[in-house]
Amino acid sequence: MAPDISAPPAPLRLRIDRQALVGNWRALDRLSPGARAGAAVKANAYGTGARIVTAALAEAGCQDFFVAHWQEAAEIVDLAAPDAIAVLHGPATAADAQWARSHGVRPVINSLHQARLWHEAGGGPCHLMVDTGINRLGVPMADLGDPVLAGLDIDILLSHLASADEADSPLNAAQQRRWTEARGQMTCLRASLANSAGIVLGAAYHGQVTRPGLALYGGVPCAALAPYICPVVQPQAMILQVRALKPGDSVGYNATFHATRPMRVGVVSVGYADGYLRTWSGRGSARFDGVALPVLGRISMDMTVIDLGSSAAREGDWVSIDYDLPAAAVASGLSQYELLTLLGTRWTRE
Ligand SMILES: *Cc1c(COP(=O)(O)O)cnc(C)c1O
């Protein structure tokens, strides 16, 4: 345990627009009129802060939260009803199953082995993941008749789409068909198939619960969702120092940028250790008073140098990093999922 000494706030912060987050959830909820939208809050709510997001969405009326790990369930268990939290990886050990039982958190059962672990721990309400074609976690269709599954008390029968962001992929309809078939074979209270992009594939994909993640946080996985989704995340960092460059001066590791004229530059407190990867070297930009300030040279671990141009920005001022997810994905070659989940632990999320 680290000593409990409070320190001054970090010179970098992640602004989370709570209203936009809740607005996105409501929009996704409305897009599936027969179903309720849940929320995928795994991986620290895609890097945005699981506690902030869970509290905001629970207050807005969200009733189903999906995490990957048991640790992630523990982190939010005081903010949502324990039985509203589903752990997607399921019980890998008897201890996992026991923990779920004692805290009332719902496991997602992904295999016959996990079903046995759950029975041995005493069982109770759970969810069942069926693999319909992504070949990731989930019970194969061929195993659905196994007696060990017949004894499960299944709340949500889930499956997960491989290509929901490609509306014309034949895999979508094939998976939807198998999911419908699985629902016919198993007894369950509710069914769920759609992630963010799956929601706009239509009512046949909705069941009773949808599981958006990316779109909650401002990601736009497919064009059909674009009109409904607002940006949520705005990274900001402090200017630690302002420097004057002379023509011929270089900037940063390996001197990849050379000034050809006198320049005012700012050293900003964000680097690849914060998830602002080297792919942004010479390519990213920040903003002060709406004016774009291009990144110069290499991104360092904890710092980035930007061209202050004729802006009035000074030491101690905060700049906003250009991080519009769809555009940033195109510019960086990273996926919108990676751009979010990369954001590390040094940010103050507010
Ligand atoms: C991550 C995840 C989701 C959310 O997917 P998005 O594409 O981010 O909307 C839904 N369901 C499962 C099983 C997941 O693992």
Side-chain angles (χ1 to χ4, degrees):
M1 277 276 282
D4 185 17
I5 299 170
S6 71
L12 70 173
R13 61 193 181 203
L14 204 57
R15 280 262 152 96
I16 309 297
D17 186 336
R18 201 185 149 102
Q19 262 178 314
L21 169 75
V22 169
N24 289 344
W25 179 76
R26 292 213 167 101
L28 292 159
D29 192 49
R30 279 195 299 270
L31 283 169
S32 53
R36 303 212 47 148
V41 296
K42 60 193 179 186
N44 198 26
Y46 291 41
T48 65
R51 290 190 61 82
I52 297 175
V53 167
T54 303
L57 295 184
E59 193 189 311
C62 180
Q63 291 178 356
D64 292 282
F65 296 89
F66 298 88
V67 295
H69 293 199
W70 299 98
Q71 287 285 342
E72 294 174 343
E75 207 174 312
I76 57 168
V77 77
D78 57 323
L79 300 174
D83 62 3
I85 302 171
V87 177
L88 290 163
H89 281 11
T93 63
D96 290 350
Q98 208 38 258
W99 191 88
R101 291 257 313 160
S102 47
H103 293 275
V105 168
R106 296 253 161 111
V108 174
I109 302 299
N110 291 290
S111 67
L112 301 182
H113 174 66
Q114 290 195 347
R116 275 181 220 110
L117 283 174
W118 187 235
H119 282 308
E120 283 159 19
C126 63
H127 307 303
L128 181 70
M129 174 67 83
V130 179
D131 188 275
T132 53
I134 191 170
N135 282 304
R136 229 172 47 171
L137 285 180
V139 176
M141 293 290 290
D143 287 354
L144 288 182
D146 196 290
V148 74
L149 299 182
L152 289 178
D153 178 2
I154 303 169
D155 175 2
I156 307 177
L157 186 141
L158 305 84
S159 193
H160 191 54
L161 296 166
S163 303
D165 55 344
E166 300 171 61
D168 53 1
S169 166
L171 196 46
N172 292 326
Q175 288 196 267
Q176 191 279 340
R177 231 174 11 251
R178 290 183 203 123
W179 170 69
T180 304
E181 203 181 304
R183 291 166 73 180
Q185 278 180 261
M186 308 302 293
T187 305
C188 61
L189 292 177
R190 302 181 287 170
S192 174
L193 179 61
N195 60 347
S196 301
I199 291 173
V200 283
L201 293 176
Y205 290 77
H206 292 165
Q208 286 73 46
V209 190
T210 61
R211 309 187 306 272
L214 184 74
L216 294 173
Y217 312 112
V220 183
C222 57
L225 272 177
Y228 304 101
I229 301 304
C230 295
V232 169
V233 173
Q234 178 59 69
Q236 297 182 329
M238 193 189 275
I239 300 176
L240 300 174
Q241 197 171 72
V242 173
R243 319 187 63 85
L245 300 187
K246 302 182 299 296
D249 285 350
S250 68
V251 170
Y253 284 124
N254 306 109
T256 60
F257 175 83
H258 287 87
T260 55
R261 56 188 163 80
M263 295 177 85
R264 252 182 102 241
V265 304
V267 183
V268 174
S269 174
V270 61
Y272 57 77
D274 306 303
Y276 197 58
L277 300 191
R278 273 183 20 160
T279 183
W280 294 110
S281 302
R283 184 185 285 171
S285 54
R287 243 152 245 272
F288 185 79
D289 274 349
V291 179
L293 312 174
V295 168
L296 304 176
R298 287 246 160 106
I299 308 291
S300 300
M301 186 183 293
D302 320 302
M303 283 173 275
T304 293
V305 176
I306 56 173
D307 181 2
L308 296 179
S310 56
S311 85
R314 293 179 305 174
E315 262 179 46
D317 281 337
W318 290 79
V319 295
S320 292
I321 294 156
D322 285 333
Y323 216 69
D324 172 70
L325 290 171
V330 172
S332 66
L334 298 166
S335 74
Q336 296 177 60
Y337 295 87
E338 291 169 299
L339 287 168
L340 284 170
T341 55
L342 273 168
L343 300 168
T345 54
R346 293 200 293 194
W347 303 84
T348 301
R349 291 167 168 86
E350 57 183 45

